[in-house]
Every structure is written in structure tokens, then in C-alpha cells.
Amino acid sequence: MKHIRNFCIIAHIDHGKSTLADRLLEFTQTISKRDMQAQVLDDMDLEREKGITIKSHAIQMNFRMDEQEFVLNLIDTPGHVDFSYEVSRAIASCEGALLVVDAAQGIEAQTISNLYLAMEHELKIIPVLNKIDLPGAMIEEMTDEVMQLTGCEKEEIILASAKEGIGIEEILRRIVEVIPAPQGNPDGPLKALIFDSVFNPFRGTIAYFRVFDGAMHSKEHVRFMSTNAHYYADEIGILRLEKEPREVIQTGDVGYIISGIKEVREIKVGDTITSFDNPSKVAVQGFKEVKPMVFAGIYPVDTEDFEDLRYSLEKLKLNDASLVFEPETSLALGFGFRTGFLGMLHMEIIQERLEREFNMTVITTVPNVQFIATMTSEEVIEVNNPSDLPDPTKTAYLEEPFIKAQIITKADYIGNIIKLCMDKRGIFKNQNYLTPDRVEMIFEMPLAEVVFDFFDKLKTVSKGYASFDYEIIGFRESNLVKMDILLNGDPVDALSAIIHREKAEEWGRKLCVKLKELIPRQQFDIAIQAGIGAKIIARETVKALRKDVTAKCYGGDISRKRKLLEKQKKGKKRMRQVGNVEVPQSAFMAVLKLD
């Protein structure tokens, strides 16, 4: 055990985490020159294109120092806030972390939130200032920022450039010297923490774990503590670039287990694996169910593709246990699925993967969050879809999820950002200056306000400088109403939304104006109305296309023209009764573009 080191890398998106991992693997000769490529641990095309890590990866390296051989387990973490639960489990599997900060961009919101996570788990932090070779690198200023944040000495900060390979050996030596060896009882009953799982179409679900006590043997009968499922470990081993089978994985080490599990949901991230015959009394602390926070309807463009869409979503769920979906029907869009996501990035990725991997062109309705309705009978109902909202006369009150938002920006943009957050019903909590020019601000605000376009607007008002991170802090009571959009008196369920009463009128007016632009003109008038219950709060009319039926009358009596106009009017009335309004896809997305 004393020759094992488990560590992770924490950094904001685009601070060089994947590149640093590449260099470490190259330096320790874990990967041959021939197999080397950029972002070697990111195996999805989407990850390479966007330059972000979506799925975390673990890999083992061997490093020789002072005539001794050390085993280093890098447990890579995804950087984005939507996957913060996976990050917390990966951090719980380590004893130390490399804190990577870009020397040109400085400390950003995710760096801080992941650093706090690491400190909660009492990890040993090694600060690394990356990209020192860039012309815009501000080494002195950023060194001061890192010292202020972590409370370390100047000598402890490693100056590195992952791209140029500067400082890589020093990082590896520091990992061995500073990060403590894993603790645990090698003779106790097996206790291992699952920090990730992937799906293999031929072998079923593969779980990645870290052993805290005891040892896991090949062919052993094991039990998953939270789901109570038990299986035989068909194959266990360590994680190199390819999986290498082993007969036993000892305390403190990281490995994988294949046991023929067909469903990803049977293996939960954060669960504890123990022996079936000699089980551990307690599980590893910190397990929780991952709950989706943002919901949207996904519908096939062609209703005949409904079964193909179901198949595609089931395939995606094999890889991503946090995706939740159930069938639903909409009068406007036909059959589709109500789908739950961890956040906006997660939603974007799923949409993108449906299009790329399964060639599915889908219509996505406006995303909304989960609300909780408490009835007068004290029954509590979870509302994931505006159409499920119970009758207001029987509802005592509604609650919506609130988040704690952490924004780091240049001091010049404080006013703009405070105004933006206040417009989004934010409550200003705190601000502190990281340096004379960079400030961290804390707000509490409703998640429903962040779901739409908050991030885009934040980037606009801060000229791209602000970084944003959030965590859910629970549900709070709010004055919420359901707003319906009616076309010629018929509600369009896919456009209804649950919003705050104070914003309903303004929102309704803007949406009616927007829809008037987007809905094509027909042979009859189309009335677009926004209503709360029976009360109409806004209206716009799409005027009919008219044929000039009086063109053939030149001169003559007025009654001749009137007769023709009356005949046209009757035809229009009959057409309006049988004609239906085609709503284009752009109209469903109009809500996202309201300004």
C-alpha cells in the first residue's frame, strides 16, 4: 500500500486538464508514442470537439523514483457543474488533487467549487500553474491568487506547461512526496466505492471502484449495498489504456469489475461493493441518488419515428444512468417522451448524441424544472410538466428549486451582473475580492430563471469574462401560476409554462408578439392568446390572407360588392372551424429567445 498514490485533477473547463493528463501518461510511458493522441482519455467525438470532459476516466501509471517503483492512479473528473455528483465520488476515491489554474485566465468558479469539494474530503492539494508559455501568462498575479485561495507558500506552486511538457517530472515527484499513501484494513471485510460506470455492448456494465478495506478476488460473490443486487465477479483488473485482468485487487488500489450486469441503473455511482459471504457492516459515506433537475419533452419530427426514439433513448440510458424518461402525449406534437436531465449542458449533450449517434431529428419543448405542489389535503405532488399542475383551487402552495450561484468576474462588470441577477429574482448574499480586479459574488436564485438564457446573458453583460457555478440548495415556496397559450381558443400544451405571477403578464405579451412573427399566415385569422386560468392577459392576431373578390366589379351598385364580401365572410368562418394551425418548430423554441 505504501507505494500507491491516488489523485485527481481539478480545474475549470479549458484550463488544460486533459492535456496535462496526456503528458503524465507520456512521461510515465503508460502509452506508447504510436497510441498517443490529444485528449487521449476523452473517447467521445463530442468531448474532443467541445474540448470538455463529459465522462470521467481512470488510468494507472507506474513511476520510478529513488530506486523505488510507485503506482499512481489518476482518477479523472468531468469539469462541468451538471456532473458535480460524479466529481464528488471521484474526489472521495482519492487522497490528493492537482489544482490546475490557467496562468492567463486565473481562478474561475468551477475551480473554487471543486477545490471546496476536495477540501471537504481532506485531500492534499498540489497547486499547478499551467500554460506559463503563453504570451498572455500573468505568472506573478496568478501565483498570488493561488496563494490567497489555498493558503500555500510560493515555493509549493509548480510552474508548468502541459503543452510544452514543462514541469511534468516535478509534478510526478511532488505527487509521490506530498500525497499520503492510502489507509485501510487489508485483512478486514471488502469495502469498495464505485466512482464511475460504463456500458460495454458485449460485456454489460463495467464498474470502476476504489478498495478501502479488504481485497477483491476474481470470481468472488459480491453484493452492491444500496441496490442489494449480488453477482459473481467474472473479471476484475486494473485500468491501463486497455483493461488488464488481475486475480486480486488489494486495499488502496483502483480497478474495474465485470459481472455481466445488463442495466446501468443496477450499478449506482457512490454505491459500496462488499463481499456476499463476509459483508462489511458499514457502507462508504456520501451515497445519494442522482436527481434530474431540468425536464423537457422530446418528440420525433415524424410521429412514425416514435419507436426509434424510444430505442435511441434506451441505448443512451445504458451509458448514462442519470437520464430519466417516460412516454407522454401532446395535442400539438403527438407522442414523445418527458425527459429529465441534470442540467442544461447535460440536455444539450443528449440532444446532440441523439442526432449524431442515432440520426434522430427531434423537437425539444421548452425546458422547465421540477416543482412541488402541496394540496389543501396535505398531499404532496411532484410536478415535472406544466400540464400536470393540479387545480389551483385545491393547491395550498407551490415550491420551486433554488440554487446558490457563484459568479467570478472582473470588478468592472459588478453592476451589470447584479442587475441581471435581480431581474432573475436573485437574492444577493455576499461578495469578496479575490484580487483587486477579480470579485466573487454569491446569489440565491430560482433554478427556473437560470434554465432559459441566464448563462448567455451573463456572458454578454460581462463580455465573456464571468464564470458561473451553482449548487441546488432546496425548495422554497413561490407565487407561481400556469400560463397557457391558446391558438383560436385551443390551448397548445407544449407552449404552456409555470412562471412567477409578477412576470406572467410581461412574459405572455412578449411570447404572443414572438409567435405572431413565427406562425405563418393562413386563409383565416388566427388569434394568439396568453391566459392564466380563465383570464386572458395578452392577445395578438395573425391576419388572414385575403383574395380581393370585388376586383371583377367595376362600377355598379354597392349591394353587388356587399353580397360578394358576405359570401367570402361565410367561407372564411367555415374554414376557420375546420382549418387547423400549423405551428413550426421555431415557435416552440421562441420561448428560449425571449428578450
Side-chain angles (χ1 to χ4, degrees), residues 347-358:
M347 175 173 154
E348 197 184 310
I349 285 163
I350 295 293
Q351 247 174 294
E352 198 91 9
R353 286 181 69 182
L354 278 173
E355 282 182 18
R356 283 190 189 195
E357 295 171 28
F358 303 99

Side-chain angles (χ1 to χ4, degrees), residues 361-420:
T361 320
V362 292
I363 294 175
T364 312
T365 62
V366 178
N368 64 291
V369 300
Q370 183 180 56
F371 299 94
I372 292 180
T374 304
M375 312 303 286
T376 45
S377 61
E378 296 191 357
E379 184 192 353
V380 176
I381 297 173
E382 289 186 353
V383 181
N384 295 334
N385 190 347
S387 57
D388 297 342
L389 194 68
D391 181 358
T393 54
K394 295 177 182 165
T395 313
Y397 57 89
L398 286 171
E399 292 174 294
E400 62 177 337
F402 265 69
I403 61 166
K404 176 180 159 197
Q406 177 189 28
I407 297 169
I408 293 180
T409 178
K410 286 195 159 185
D412 312 356
Y413 308 117
I414 292 177
N416 296 351
I417 288 172
I418 290 180
K419 182 179 182 309
L420 171 68

Side-chain angles (χ1 to χ4, degrees), residues 105 108 407-417 420 438 454-468:
Q105 295 178 43
E108 312 246 6
I407 297 169
I408 293 180
T409 178
K410 286 195 159 185
D412 312 356
Y413 308 117
I414 292 177
N416 296 351
I417 288 172
L420 171 68
R438 284 164 69 80
F454 177 77
F455 195 62
D456 296 343
K457 284 188 174 169
L458 178 68
K459 286 290 182 197
T460 308
V461 299
S462 67
K463 300 204 170 93
Y465 275 109
S467 63
F468 169 69

